[in-house]
Each structure stands twice: as structure tokens, then as C-alpha cells.
């Protein structure tokens, strides 16, 4: 079963072994998601000397909801401990510290691809392409181990396109097992759409804009969710059993309830059941 996919610890963020790279490398603008403006390469004022967030437990209340929907897929510890051999960004020479912040977003993209490839390999229906998926997984992991200079120069979009061909084929194979006419909503603009109780079983929602959509009680079993924008989407009582290429950041960006059914490999967001 897809819901039992086991992801290696290397693909889950481990802040204890990272030098707060996401809090330094990434920019954000004052908005509903962030309380302040911060340019790329500048440490967030909430980042402590121990490289941990000083308001982690209160991010939403402090106006940093955007931080709660971010996941590096383990890229932070890879760059900190492997690419740069455990050298502390805050004490490294300025050129090296700057290179760390340049490398991090690249490795993060590669680790996201590793996540999808690992999931695809856990899908029995995708067995016809498992050999190709394993080769793509090995190639992607190899790329994450390149020296800093080569990582910065890497053509990630080209590699992503090669991987995407396999992920598209995986999606077709998985959704082919769903009876009836499968709904094609790839890249659809469904912002604010009223989809309460909608039958989206086996639907293709790749890259769909579902911002603030009402998906209350919707059937999203075995739906392809890769790249779907679920910000503020209402997943109350929805069934996401077997939904694939769904990530924790997507769930964290949505609203849901204790009755929302999510894949076992993902965690139910705390804010779904905790009063604001």
C-alpha cells in the first residue's frame, strides 16, 4: 500500500544537524505568511546562536505561518554535514558562508525529487517503471554529493524534467487502477472553488491552484497531488487515503479536522485540531 511508504531519515528535516540554513538562505516578504521582510542570505532575527528558531512553538501566533509550511526534505543537514563537512556557517569565512546559502536551495530541490522518487518506488502499480525510477533515484542522490561549485552550476530544471517524465508515467499507472472516468485537473485554476463532497478519486491535480477551495468531505483517494497549491484549502472530513505525491508542506498549508483522513506517511498538522 502507498500509505505505508517509508521515507529514510535523510529525507526528513533534522534541525539539530543543520546550521539554520533555511532561516538564512531564503528570502521572505511581509505578508499574511511573514511578519517582516527578509532578503536572501540574511539571518532571520528569530534565529538563535544555536541555529534554532527562538519562536518555533509560536510561529503562527507571531505572524510566521509561512515557516510552518516549509520543509527542506533533509537538505539542511545534507549541506551542513556532508557538502560542507560540518563547518559552522556562522563562523566560516564570509565567502564560504555565502556559498552555503547558494548551495542549499539547489540541494533542497534535489531532495524534493528524492522524496517523490522514493514514494514512486513504493507504489506497486508503478512496477513497470521501477527500474527507471531506481536509476533516477541513484542519479539524483549522486548529484546531491557534488562539490559546492558544481552544485551551484547544476542545471536542476533539466534534471527535474527527466525525473518528471517518470513521475508522470507513475501517475498514469497508479490512477489507471481507479474505475470510471478519471478527472483531469492538471494546472487547473480552482481558487476558491466549491468542491464540497466532490468525487476526485484518482483525479490528476498536478499543479492545480486550490487556494481557499472548499474540499470539505471531498474524495481525494489516489489523487495525484504533486505541486497542488493547498494554501487555506478546507480539507475538513476529506479523504486523502492513497493520495500520492502529497507532501507535509501542502498539508500544513491547508485547513483540516480530526476526521480528515491523511496518508500514514504524513502527520496531521497540529493547527487542524488545536484552537487558534
Amino acid at each position: 500500500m502507498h500509505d505505508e511508504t517509508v521515507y529514510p531519515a535523510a529525507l526528513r528535516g533534522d534541525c539539530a544537524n543543520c546550521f539554520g540554513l533555511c532561516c538564512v538562505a531564503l528570502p521572505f516578504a511581509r505578508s499574511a505568511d511573514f511578519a517582516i521582510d527578509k532578503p536572501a542570505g540574511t539571518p532571520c532575527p528569530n534565529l538563535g546562536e544555536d541555529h534554532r528558531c527562538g519562536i518555533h512553538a509560536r510561529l503562527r501566533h507571531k505572524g510566521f505561518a509561512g515557516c510552518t509550511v516549509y520543509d527542506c526534505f533533509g537538505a539542511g543537514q545534507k549541506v551542513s554535514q556532508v557538502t560542507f563537512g560540518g563547518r559552522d556557517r556562522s563562523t566560516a569565512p564570509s565567502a564560504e558562508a555565502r556559498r552555503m546559502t547558494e548551495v542549499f536551495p539547489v540541494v533542497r530541490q534535489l531532495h524534493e525529487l528524492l522524496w517523490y522518487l522514493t514514494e514512486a518506488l513504493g507504489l506497486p502499480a508503478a512496477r513497470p517503471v521501477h527500474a527507471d525510477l531506481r536509476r533516477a533515484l541513484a542519479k539524483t542522490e549522486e548529484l546531491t554529493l557534488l562539490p559546492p561549485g558544481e552544485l551551484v552550476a547544476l542545471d536542476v530544471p533539466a534534471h527535474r524534467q527527466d525525473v518528471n517524465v517518470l513521475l508522470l508515467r507513475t501517475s498514469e499507472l497508479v490512477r489507471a487502477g481507479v474505475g470510471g472516468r478519471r478527472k483531469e485537473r492538471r494546472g487547473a485554476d480552482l481558487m476558491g472553488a466549491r468542491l464540497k463532497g466532490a468525487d476526485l478519486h484518482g483525479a490528476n491535480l498536478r499543479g492545480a491552484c486550490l487556494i481557499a477551495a472548499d474540499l470539505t468531505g471531498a474524495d481525494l483517494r489516489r489523487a495525484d497531488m504533486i505541486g497542488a497549491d493547498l494554501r487555506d484549502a478546507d480539507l475538513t472530513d476529506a479523504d486523502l487515503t492513497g493520495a500520492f505525491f502529497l507532501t507535509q508542506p501542502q498539508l500544513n498549508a491547508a485547513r483540516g479536522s480530526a476526521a480528515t483522513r491523511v496518508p500514514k506517511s504524513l502527520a496531521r498538522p497540529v493547527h487542524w485540531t488545536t484552537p487558534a
Side-chain angles (χ1 to χ4, degrees):
M1 288 291 293
H2 159 63
D3 280 359
E4 297 173 357
T5 299
V6 177
Y7 298 93
L11 295 183
R12 296 185 184 276
D14 179 5
C15 297
N17 285 300
C18 176
F19 297 128
L21 293 178
C22 66
C23 304
V24 179
L26 306 178
F28 46 75
R30 185 188 298 271
S31 61
D33 293 321
F34 297 102
I36 61 174
D37 292 316
K38 187 191 82 66
T42 300
C44 173
N46 297 310
L47 183 65
E49 293 184 1
D50 60 353
H51 309 299
R52 307 300 287 270
C53 176
I55 60 169
H56 187 266
R58 297 168 289 138
L59 283 167
R60 286 182 174 272
H61 296 293
K62 290 291 187 178
F64 290 86
C67 296
T68 69
V69 302
Y70 180 79
D71 192 331
C72 74
F73 297 100
Q77 66 259 30
K78 171 69 74 64
V79 174
S80 296
Q81 303 300 330
V82 179
T83 311
F84 288 93
R87 295 189 293 281
D88 192 328
R89 175 197 54 78
S90 62
T91 58
S94 59
E96 184 174 49
R98 183 169 55 254
R99 181 49 59 94
M100 287 183 189
T101 62
E102 294 170 345
V103 165
F104 171 70
V106 176
V107 177
R108 194 271 183 191
Q109 292 182 70
L110 295 174
H111 268 237
E112 183 177 6
L113 292 179
L114 288 175
W115 179 278
Y116 292 138
L117 288 166
T118 298
E119 180 171 5
L121 282 166
L123 298 169
R127 190 166 290 110
V129 291
H130 275 186
D132 290 332
L133 288 167
R134 280 192 289 271
R135 283 191 286 271
L137 182 74
K139 175 61 176 178
T140 305
E141 176 61 31
E142 180 182 310
L143 291 176
T144 70
L145 300 175
L146 289 173
E150 293 183 41
L151 279 167
V152 172
L154 185 65
D155 187 348
V156 177
H159 180 65
R160 181 182 290 276
Q161 181 56 40
D162 291 340
V163 170
N164 194 47
V165 171
L166 294 174
L167 298 182
L168 281 168
R169 180 58 180 148
T170 295
S171 177
E172 293 168 356
L173 290 167
V174 174
R175 294 184 300 108
V178 178
R181 186 176 180 180
R182 288 168 287 136
K183 297 176 176 60
E184 289 294 326
R185 297 288 188 271
R186 182 178 182 181
D189 183 359
L190 298 171
M191 179 182 289
R194 298 177 180 178
L195 297 169
K196 183 175 182 178
D199 178 9
L200 294 169
H201 187 192
N204 182 0
L205 292 167
R206 296 171 66 91
C209 176
L210 289 159
I211 297 175
D214 182 3
L215 289 162
T216 303
D219 183 355
L220 290 158
R221 290 175 297 156
R222 279 201 276 182
D224 182 345
M225 303 297 292
I226 196 167
D229 193 338
L230 294 173
R231 283 178 292 170
D232 206 33
D234 192 349
L235 295 174
T236 298
D237 300 337
D239 189 350
L240 289 135
T241 305
F244 58 103
F245 299 148
L246 177 69
T247 65
Q248 193 65 51
Q250 286 172 294
L251 281 186
N252 291 350
R255 293 180 287 129
S257 66
T260 303
R261 300 182 66 182
V262 302
K264 294 179 182 178
S265 57
L266 300 176
R268 188 182 309 279
V270 174
H271 69 276
W272 284 11
T273 54
T274 301

